[in-house]
Amino acid sequence: NMIGFNYRMTEIEAAIARCQLKKLNGLLNARIENCAYYSRNLADIPAITLPKVRENCRHSFYVYAMKFAEKTAGVARNRFVDAVRAELSVTRLRETEGVKISCGYVKPIYLLPMYQKRIAFGSKGYPFNLYKGKLDYSKGICPVVERMHFNELFIHDLMHPFMDRKDMDDVVAAFHKVWENRGDL
């Protein structure tokens, strides 16, 4: 259990970041192009809603987030994503991380143990015991967040600038193969 994090950089980390920022525009442009490629090539899968970028805006695509419609697909999102993951190989130099496609994003914070047990420090409920009103962190208080996390949202991290067209074609092919064979899942 922890409240907050300390993300202050050291001087050496700041020096490295300052040099790396010189590459930012090129890296972002490559990510944006790679995501546009996915959007063009996955648009024909009716159960997937692809990310949209508003007019006069630019998206950095930290992740490529999509919504999945289970009723349209006739198969649960987790089963579909697991099948896509099984069709792909791990990213070179990141083999221990597995295939970077997953369901949901971050579990709703109020469902984490610290909020459910209302204990962050010690064993007496601090800091939750400072509030004299009624605290409600029960499941269901944010139904849209829960629906997105547990049923609809899925993300992948397969749009990095170092991915070439063949790599991205493999990702697109995996999605189409699973879509075409979803009845077997």
Side-chain angles (χ1 to χ4, degrees):
N1 287 339
M2 181 182 295
I3 297 178
F5 298 94
N6 179 355
Y7 285 130
R8 289 182 293 218
M9 284 191 279
T10 65
E11 288 84 359
I12 192 73
E13 291 168 328
I16 292 168
R18 190 170 176 191
C19 290
Q20 291 295 320
L21 282 172
K22 294 174 185 171
K23 302 175 186 178
L24 183 60
N25 283 335
L27 294 172
L28 281 178
N29 288 336
R31 275 179 103 86
I32 290 166
E33 288 174 22
N34 290 351
C35 290
Y37 183 80
Y38 284 131
S39 291
R40 285 190 306 273
N41 289 284
L42 296 175
D44 59 340
I45 300 177
I48 297 175
T49 302
L50 302 167
K52 293 176 178 60
V53 180
R54 287 186 280 175
E55 193 175 330
N56 298 318
C57 293
R58 188 172 170 202
H59 198 304
S60 64
F61 290 103
Y62 169 69
V63 293
Y64 190 80
M66 297 169 274
K67 279 177 52 177
F68 187 79
E70 181 177 334
K71 287 182 181 176
T72 303
V75 63
R77 173 204 61 183
N78 291 16
R79 183 161 285 184
F80 183 85
V81 171
D82 287 345
V84 171
R85 186 183 304 114
E87 291 296 320
L88 297 169
S89 39
V90 295
T91 303
R92 188 178 54 243
L93 302 178
R94 295 174 80 179
E95 292 87 357
T96 60
E97 299 174 21
V99 177
K100 302 298 283 182
I101 181 171
S102 59
C103 297
Y105 181 60
V106 175
K107 187 175 185 178
I109 193 168
Y110 59 90
L111 294 178
L112 296 178
M114 179 172 69
Y115 292 91
Q116 292 300 302
K117 295 177 184 176
R118 293 178 179 82
I119 297 173
F121 299 110
S123 60
K124 297 187 169 114
Y126 182 82
F128 302 97
N129 60 2
L130 298 177
Y131 179 68
K132 300 305 177 201
K134 182 180 182 305
L135 295 172
D136 181 13
Y137 298 118
S138 58
K139 190 169 184 174
I141 62 171
C142 296
V144 174
V145 168
E146 292 175 28
R147 185 185 76 238
M148 291 297 292
H149 177 71
F150 293 111
N151 302 312
E152 294 179 13
L153 182 69
F154 70 102
I155 61 173
H156 74 74
D157 188 23
L158 303 169
M159 76 305 241
H160 290 286
F162 61 80
M163 291 192 70
D164 60 27
R165 194 51 50 101
K166 183 189 176 315
D167 294 330
M168 292 188 300
D169 285 342
D170 289 344
V171 173
V172 169
F175 272 94
H176 282 104
K177 179 179 180 183
V178 172
W179 176 252
E180 291 163 11
N181 295 287
R182 67 192 180 280
D184 297 333
L185 295 178

